[in-house]
Amino acid sequence: MNTQPIGIFDSGIGGTSIFKEIHTLLPNEHCIYLADSKNAPYGDKPASQILQLSIKNTKLLLDKGCKLIVVGCNTATTNAIAYLRANYNLPFIGIEPAIKPAALNTKTKTIGILATKGTLSSHLFHKTSDLYASGIKVIEQVGEGIVPLIESGKLHSDEMKELLTSYLQPMLKEHIDYLVLGCTHYPYLIPMLKKMLPKDVSIIDSGLAVAKQTKAILEKHHLLNEEKSSPSIKLYSNGSLDILNTILNHQFETAYLDF
């Protein structure tokens, strides 16, 4: 099992931000990534559909022999990971908005969270928020329209800048000092966000924490790949490979897969 791949799936290309963190931290590990771009975004879909899509992706990664699966999508984590863990016999790593570090470190006692509707409306999100953000003002903002723009190659467009401005202004009026990114697509916005936000507002995403958790779980289950040969990295999309290759700077092997 140790030389079997790590599987990662997301509603499109966003989870590649998680894949890159995992690949950097665990360079010996073989990886398979599924970009379910055909069904992106997950964030505005009903919970039952998100669950079915997550099951479909999980079954495909199991067919490809994965030893561990990273649910590289906040919306899928909050709506499906409990079911996946209960019904499949391998470790699952989920992704949640990094509310805890923001709530613990805020000086203004006000933090902003930019996430999908599916994440912000989920039971798991509210449970985490109640646990760590008691006494903290949390400004929630649904990032409607962001994922489709990224998936269509409009990451740096004027349309994206206008959208982000409209989402950030209410948060800044409330004097947030932390902005939590609650979708794996959103780390690709960080260079733009840094130009738009005051220097005293810190941006937090979950990528490195997820990579560290992946390593810890592999160690716990004695599943780390000790071989030093070059790993097999395969990224599949049921949408445009152009967007996937661009976001990855053409560094990895990509292929179209109808799933």
PDB file of all heavy atoms in Angstrom, residues 185-205:
ATOM      1  N   HIS A 185     -10.340  27.109  -4.398  1.00  0.00           N
ATOM      2  CA  HIS A 185     -10.049  27.958  -5.556  1.00  0.00           C
ATOM      3  C   HIS A 185      -9.432  29.302  -5.125  1.00  0.00           C
ATOM      4  O   HIS A 185      -8.675  29.916  -5.884  1.00  0.00           O
ATOM      5  CB  HIS A 185     -11.328  28.262  -6.342  1.00  0.00           C
ATOM      6  CG  HIS A 185     -11.810  27.149  -7.219  1.00  0.00           C
ATOM      7  ND1 HIS A 185     -12.433  26.023  -6.728  1.00  0.00           N
ATOM      8  CD2 HIS A 185     -11.789  26.996  -8.574  1.00  0.00           C
ATOM      9  CE1 HIS A 185     -12.761  25.225  -7.730  1.00  0.00           C
ATOM     10  NE2 HIS A 185     -12.383  25.790  -8.864  1.00  0.00           N
ATOM     11  N   TYR A 186      -9.795  29.758  -3.938  1.00  0.00           N
ATOM     12  CA  TYR A 186      -9.496  31.148  -3.553  1.00  0.00           C
ATOM     13  C   TYR A 186      -8.020  31.466  -3.316  1.00  0.00           C
ATOM     14  O   TYR A 186      -7.629  32.637  -3.469  1.00  0.00           O
ATOM     15  CB  TYR A 186     -10.318  31.543  -2.326  1.00  0.00           C
ATOM     16  CG  TYR A 186     -11.824  31.556  -2.528  1.00  0.00           C
ATOM     17  CD1 TYR A 186     -12.689  31.819  -1.466  1.00  0.00           C
ATOM     18  CD2 TYR A 186     -12.398  31.296  -3.774  1.00  0.00           C
ATOM     19  CE1 TYR A 186     -14.070  31.829  -1.641  1.00  0.00           C
ATOM     20  CE2 TYR A 186     -13.773  31.294  -3.952  1.00  0.00           C
ATOM     21  CZ  TYR A 186     -14.602  31.560  -2.882  1.00  0.00           C
ATOM     22  OH  TYR A 186     -15.959  31.562  -3.046  1.00  0.00           O
ATOM     23  N   PRO A 187      -7.141  30.504  -2.926  1.00  0.00           N
ATOM     24  CA  PRO A 187      -5.725  30.867  -2.793  1.00  0.00           C
ATOM     25  C   PRO A 187      -5.115  31.461  -4.064  1.00  0.00           C
ATOM     26  O   PRO A 187      -4.148  32.235  -3.986  1.00  0.00           O
ATOM     27  CB  PRO A 187      -5.062  29.529  -2.424  1.00  0.00           C
ATOM     28  CG  PRO A 187      -6.117  28.808  -1.666  1.00  0.00           C
ATOM     29  CD  PRO A 187      -7.393  29.154  -2.385  1.00  0.00           C
ATOM     30  N   TYR A 188      -5.690  31.136  -5.230  1.00  0.00           N
ATOM     31  CA  TYR A 188      -5.181  31.732  -6.468  1.00  0.00           C
ATOM     32  C   TYR A 188      -5.502  33.221  -6.557  1.00  0.00           C
ATOM     33  O   TYR A 188      -4.972  33.934  -7.415  1.00  0.00           O
ATOM     34  CB  TYR A 188      -5.737  30.977  -7.680  1.00  0.00           C
ATOM     35  CG  TYR A 188      -5.118  29.604  -7.822  1.00  0.00           C
ATOM     36  CD1 TYR A 188      -5.868  28.447  -7.615  1.00  0.00           C
ATOM     37  CD2 TYR A 188      -3.768  29.461  -8.147  1.00  0.00           C
ATOM     38  CE1 TYR A 188      -5.285  27.183  -7.726  1.00  0.00           C
ATOM     39  CE2 TYR A 188      -3.184  28.205  -8.255  1.00  0.00           C
ATOM     40  CZ  TYR A 188      -3.945  27.077  -8.042  1.00  0.00           C
ATOM     41  OH  TYR A 188      -3.355  25.835  -8.141  1.00  0.00           O
ATOM     42  N   LEU A 189      -6.354  33.704  -5.653  1.00  0.00           N
ATOM     43  CA  LEU A 189      -6.690  35.127  -5.598  1.00  0.00           C
ATOM     44  C   LEU A 189      -5.733  35.925  -4.703  1.00  0.00           C
ATOM     45  O   LEU A 189      -5.790  37.154  -4.692  1.00  0.00           O
ATOM     46  CB  LEU A 189      -8.113  35.320  -5.054  1.00  0.00           C
ATOM     47  CG  LEU A 189      -9.264  34.688  -5.835  1.00  0.00           C
ATOM     48  CD1 LEU A 189     -10.549  34.765  -5.009  1.00  0.00           C
ATOM     49  CD2 LEU A 189      -9.454  35.381  -7.175  1.00  0.00           C
ATOM     50  N   ILE A 190      -4.878  35.229  -3.942  1.00  0.00           N
ATOM     51  CA  ILE A 190      -4.080  35.907  -2.911  1.00  0.00           C
ATOM     52  C   ILE A 190      -3.241  37.073  -3.456  1.00  0.00           C
ATOM     53  O   ILE A 190      -3.237  38.152  -2.851  1.00  0.00           O
ATOM     54  CB  ILE A 190      -3.219  34.887  -2.129  1.00  0.00           C
ATOM     55  CG1 ILE A 190      -4.128  34.026  -1.237  1.00  0.00           C
ATOM     56  CG2 ILE A 190      -2.156  35.585  -1.284  1.00  0.00           C
ATOM     57  CD1 ILE A 190      -3.422  32.912  -0.482  1.00  0.00           C
ATOM     58  N   PRO A 191      -2.533  36.926  -4.585  1.00  0.00           N
ATOM     59  CA  PRO A 191      -1.771  38.092  -5.082  1.00  0.00           C
ATOM     60  C   PRO A 191      -2.662  39.311  -5.320  1.00  0.00           C
ATOM     61  O   PRO A 191      -2.272  40.449  -5.014  1.00  0.00           O
ATOM     62  CB  PRO A 191      -1.161  37.580  -6.391  1.00  0.00           C
ATOM     63  CG  PRO A 191      -1.064  36.106  -6.202  1.00  0.00           C
ATOM     64  CD  PRO A 191      -2.289  35.729  -5.415  1.00  0.00           C
ATOM     65  N   MET A 192      -3.846  39.099  -5.859  1.00  0.00           N
ATOM     66  CA  MET A 192      -4.785  40.186  -6.105  1.00  0.00           C
ATOM     67  C   MET A 192      -5.338  40.748  -4.789  1.00  0.00           C
ATOM     68  O   MET A 192      -5.440  41.969  -4.603  1.00  0.00           O
ATOM     69  CB  MET A 192      -5.929  39.677  -6.979  1.00  0.00           C
ATOM     70  CG  MET A 192      -6.801  40.766  -7.595  1.00  0.00           C
ATOM     71  SD  MET A 192      -8.171  40.055  -8.569  1.00  0.00           S
ATOM     72  CE  MET A 192      -7.269  39.031  -9.729  1.00  0.00           C
ATOM     73  N   LEU A 193      -5.662  39.857  -3.866  1.00  0.00           N
ATOM     74  CA  LEU A 193      -6.217  40.286  -2.576  1.00  0.00           C
ATOM     75  C   LEU A 193      -5.211  41.124  -1.791  1.00  0.00           C
ATOM     76  O   LEU A 193      -5.591  42.097  -1.126  1.00  0.00           O
ATOM     77  CB  LEU A 193      -6.629  39.066  -1.756  1.00  0.00           C
ATOM     78  CG  LEU A 193      -7.863  38.304  -2.240  1.00  0.00           C
ATOM     79  CD1 LEU A 193      -8.002  36.976  -1.493  1.00  0.00           C
ATOM     80  CD2 LEU A 193      -9.129  39.144  -2.065  1.00  0.00           C
ATOM     81  N   LYS A 194      -3.941  40.753  -1.869  1.00  0.00           N
ATOM     82  CA  LYS A 194      -2.913  41.508  -1.132  1.00  0.00           C
ATOM     83  C   LYS A 194      -2.818  42.948  -1.621  1.00  0.00           C
ATOM     84  O   LYS A 194      -2.532  43.865  -0.844  1.00  0.00           O
ATOM     85  CB  LYS A 194      -1.556  40.819  -1.260  1.00  0.00           C
ATOM     86  CG  LYS A 194      -1.424  39.589  -0.374  1.00  0.00           C
ATOM     87  CD  LYS A 194      -0.029  38.988  -0.454  1.00  0.00           C
ATOM     88  CE  LYS A 194       0.125  37.850   0.548  1.00  0.00           C
ATOM     89  NZ  LYS A 194       1.455  37.217   0.471  1.00  0.00           N
ATOM     90  N   LYS A 195      -3.067  43.154  -2.899  1.00  0.00           N
ATOM     91  CA  LYS A 195      -3.058  44.521  -3.444  1.00  0.00           C
ATOM     92  C   LYS A 195      -4.297  45.300  -3.026  1.00  0.00           C
ATOM     93  O   LYS A 195      -4.268  46.535  -2.951  1.00  0.00           O
ATOM     94  CB  LYS A 195      -2.980  44.471  -4.974  1.00  0.00           C
ATOM     95  CG  LYS A 195      -1.662  43.924  -5.506  1.00  0.00           C
ATOM     96  CD  LYS A 195      -1.685  43.854  -7.021  1.00  0.00           C
ATOM     97  CE  LYS A 195      -0.398  43.248  -7.581  1.00  0.00           C
ATOM     98  NZ  LYS A 195      -0.440  43.120  -9.050  1.00  0.00           N
ATOM     99  N   MET A 196      -5.399  44.594  -2.747  1.00  0.00           N
ATOM    100  CA  MET A 196      -6.669  45.242  -2.455  1.00  0.00           C
ATOM    101  C   MET A 196      -6.901  45.479  -0.964  1.00  0.00           C
ATOM    102  O   MET A 196      -7.694  46.334  -0.590  1.00  0.00           O
ATOM    103  CB  MET A 196      -7.821  44.390  -3.015  1.00  0.00           C
ATOM    104  CG  MET A 196      -7.738  44.157  -4.504  1.00  0.00           C
ATOM    105  SD  MET A 196      -8.976  42.993  -5.131  1.00  0.00           S
ATOM    106  CE  MET A 196     -10.447  44.024  -5.080  1.00  0.00           C
ATOM    107  N   LEU A 197      -6.198  44.719  -0.126  1.00  0.00           N
ATOM    108  CA  LEU A 197      -6.424  44.797   1.314  1.00  0.00           C
ATOM    109  C   LEU A 197      -5.362  45.652   1.996  1.00  0.00           C
ATOM    110  O   LEU A 197      -4.205  45.683   1.555  1.00  0.00           O
ATOM    111  CB  LEU A 197      -6.385  43.390   1.924  1.00  0.00           C
ATOM    112  CG  LEU A 197      -7.538  42.447   1.581  1.00  0.00           C
ATOM    113  CD1 LEU A 197      -7.193  41.026   1.999  1.00  0.00           C
ATOM    114  CD2 LEU A 197      -8.831  42.906   2.248  1.00  0.00           C
ATOM    115  N   PRO A 198      -5.716  46.322   3.093  1.00  0.00           N
ATOM    116  CA  PRO A 198      -4.703  47.029   3.888  1.00  0.00           C
ATOM    117  C   PRO A 198      -3.659  46.046   4.414  1.00  0.00           C
ATOM    118  O   PRO A 198      -3.953  44.849   4.577  1.00  0.00           O
ATOM    119  CB  PRO A 198      -5.517  47.618   5.049  1.00  0.00           C
ATOM    120  CG  PRO A 198      -6.936  47.613   4.598  1.00  0.00           C
ATOM    121  CD  PRO A 198      -7.077  46.472   3.649  1.00  0.00           C
ATOM    122  N   LYS A 199      -2.464  46.550   4.695  1.00  0.00           N
ATOM    123  CA  LYS A 199      -1.374  45.666   5.119  1.00  0.00           C
ATOM    124  C   LYS A 199      -1.642  45.011   6.467  1.00  0.00           C
ATOM    125  O   LYS A 199      -1.024  44.000   6.806  1.00  0.00           O
ATOM    126  CB  LYS A 199      -0.054  46.451   5.164  1.00  0.00           C
ATOM    127  CG  LYS A 199       0.409  46.940   3.795  1.00  0.00           C
ATOM    128  CD  LYS A 199       1.858  47.307   3.812  1.00  0.00           C
ATOM    129  CE  LYS A 199       2.340  47.890   2.487  1.00  0.00           C
ATOM    130  NZ  LYS A 199       2.006  47.088   1.334  1.00  0.00           N
ATOM    131  N   ASP A 200      -2.546  45.594   7.259  1.00  0.00           N
ATOM    132  CA  ASP A 200      -2.818  45.012   8.582  1.00  0.00           C
ATOM    133  C   ASP A 200      -3.884  43.916   8.539  1.00  0.00           C
ATOM    134  O   ASP A 200      -4.299  43.404   9.581  1.00  0.00           O
ATOM    135  CB  ASP A 200      -3.206  46.089   9.592  1.00  0.00           C
ATOM    136  CG  ASP A 200      -4.448  46.879   9.178  1.00  0.00           C
ATOM    137  OD1 ASP A 200      -4.944  46.668   8.048  1.00  0.00           O
ATOM    138  OD2 ASP A 200      -4.920  47.715   9.978  1.00  0.00           O
ATOM    139  N   VAL A 201      -4.335  43.545   7.345  1.00  0.00           N
ATOM    140  CA  VAL A 201      -5.283  42.431   7.208  1.00  0.00           C
ATOM    141  C   VAL A 201      -4.511  41.204   6.706  1.00  0.00           C
ATOM    142  O   VAL A 201      -3.924  41.222   5.630  1.00  0.00           O
ATOM    143  CB  VAL A 201      -6.428  42.765   6.231  1.00  0.00           C
ATOM    144  CG1 VAL A 201      -7.339  41.543   6.056  1.00  0.00           C
ATOM    145  CG2 VAL A 201      -7.229  43.962   6.733  1.00  0.00           C
ATOM    146  N   SER A 202      -4.515  40.141   7.517  1.00  0.00           N
ATOM    147  CA  SER A 202      -3.822  38.905   7.164  1.00  0.00           C
ATOM    148  C   SER A 202      -4.775  37.952   6.439  1.00  0.00           C
ATOM    149  O   SER A 202      -5.958  37.890   6.764  1.00  0.00           O
ATOM    150  CB  SER A 202      -3.286  38.220   8.422  1.00  0.00           C
ATOM    151  OG  SER A 202      -2.380  39.059   9.109  1.00  0.00           O
ATOM    152  N   ILE A 203      -4.224  37.225   5.478  1.00  0.00           N
ATOM    153  CA  ILE A 203      -5.013  36.254   4.700  1.00  0.00           C
ATOM    154  C   ILE A 203      -4.614  34.852   5.144  1.00  0.00           C
ATOM    155  O   ILE A 203      -3.428  34.533   5.234  1.00  0.00           O
ATOM    156  CB  ILE A 203      -4.759  36.417   3.194  1.00  0.00           C
ATOM    157  CG1 ILE A 203      -5.104  37.836   2.736  1.00  0.00           C
ATOM    158  CG2 ILE A 203      -5.566  35.392   2.397  1.00  0.00           C
ATOM    159  CD1 ILE A 203      -4.641  38.156   1.323  1.00  0.00           C
ATOM    160  N   ILE A 204      -5.621  34.020   5.423  1.00  0.00           N
ATOM    161  CA  ILE A 204      -5.361  32.643   5.854  1.00  0.00           C
ATOM    162  C   ILE A 204      -6.084  31.659   4.939  1.00  0.00           C
ATOM    163  O   ILE A 204      -7.269  31.826   4.653  1.00  0.00           O
ATOM    164  CB  ILE A 204      -5.849  32.401   7.300  1.00  0.00           C
ATOM    165  CG1 ILE A 204      -5.117  33.313   8.290  1.00  0.00           C
ATOM    166  CG2 ILE A 204      -5.641  30.946   7.698  1.00  0.00           C
ATOM    167  CD1 ILE A 204      -5.511  33.075   9.731  1.00  0.00           C
ATOM    168  N   ASP A 205      -5.344  30.637   4.469  1.00  0.00           N
ATOM    169  CA  ASP A 205      -6.006  29.528   3.778  1.00  0.00           C
ATOM    170  C   ASP A 205      -5.534  28.230   4.417  1.00  0.00           C
ATOM    171  O   ASP A 205      -4.652  28.236   5.269  1.00  0.00           O
ATOM    172  CB  ASP A 205      -5.737  29.569   2.273  1.00  0.00           C
ATOM    173  CG  ASP A 205      -4.345  29.111   1.921  1.00  0.00           C
ATOM    174  OD1 ASP A 205      -3.413  29.945   1.933  1.00  0.00           O
ATOM    175  OD2 ASP A 205      -4.166  27.914   1.644  1.00  0.00           O
TER     176      ASP A 205
END
